[in-house]
Amino acid sequence: MFVIIFLLIAIPLVVAREQSVRAVGTLTCHGVPAQYAELQLVSKKVFGGDAFARDVFTDPSGYFQIAGYIDPSTWSTIDARLYIWHKCYEKPYEQSDPCSNWFEIAVPKLYINEGPLAQKTWDMGEIRLEVPKDGQKLDAC
């Protein structure tokens, strides 16, 4: 009985820890900065919904930086996903405002940091939005 109680207390204490993630990059559309595209960083959890969600928009040069943090009280590890909403299409004449394309990118485990401030940053470089992405969808509008 003592062993079961010990395991029920010890396992969550080992699993629960502060973690963080940070990503930077530039979004372009047909060689032009993708201004004011929306990005959201989310950590999916098995139980209890998403751990964190941070929203940012690209600046006039298409640059973004986004970071998130999960505290030990959530009893979960980060499974970080970056969602990107944009109005760039494979063919420029396909513009369909007010609809937005969106896709999801999994943050590599290599860039999941221990502690509340990310020491390693995932530099995604330039992401060309006109190139179709796996799983890309068009928002219902």
Side-chain angles (χ1 to χ4, degrees):
M1 180 67 170
F2 174 74
V3 172
I4 293 172
I5 294 172
F6 175 76
L7 288 175
L8 289 174
I9 294 171
I11 290 174
L13 292 176
V14 171
V15 171
R17 60 191 187 274
E18 295 176 317
Q19 294 180 310
S20 57
V21 64
R22 182 172 184 265
V24 299
T26 303
L27 304 180
T28 62
C29 179
H30 299 283
V32 176
Q35 299 179 343
Y36 313 113
E38 183 179 1
L39 296 97
Q40 185 178 57
L41 185 62
V42 175
S43 177
K44 295 294 187 182
K45 292 185 354 181
V46 176
F47 302 105
D50 299 339
F52 63 78
R54 301 287 184 261
D55 286 298
V56 299
F57 292 87
T58 56
D59 68 12
S61 65
Y63 177 78
F64 69 89
Q65 60 177 326
I66 189 166
Y69 159 77
I70 184 173
D71 69 37
S73 67
T74 61
W75 309 103
S76 180
T77 58
I78 288 181
D79 176 19
R81 309 286 174 156
L82 183 63
Y83 293 88
I84 300 174
W85 285 268
H86 63 90
K87 296 187 182 295
C88 181
Y89 301 89
E90 190 174 356
K91 298 176 181 120
Y93 57 82
E94 291 179 333
Q95 196 74 12
S96 41
D97 284 336
C99 303
S100 294
N101 276 327
W102 70 272
F103 60 95
E104 165 188 348
I105 302 172
V107 176
K109 298 289 184 201
L110 173 67
Y111 296 103
I112 304 299
N113 296 267
E114 296 299 323
L117 296 175
Q119 300 299 311
K120 295 179 284 187
T121 299
W122 184 24
D123 187 347
M124 300 176 70
E126 179 183 341
I127 300 172
R128 296 178 49 215
L129 297 175
E130 73 274 9
V131 178
K133 311 291 186 278
D134 288 340
Q136 183 163 289
K137 298 174 179 74
L138 185 64
D139 267 347
C141 34

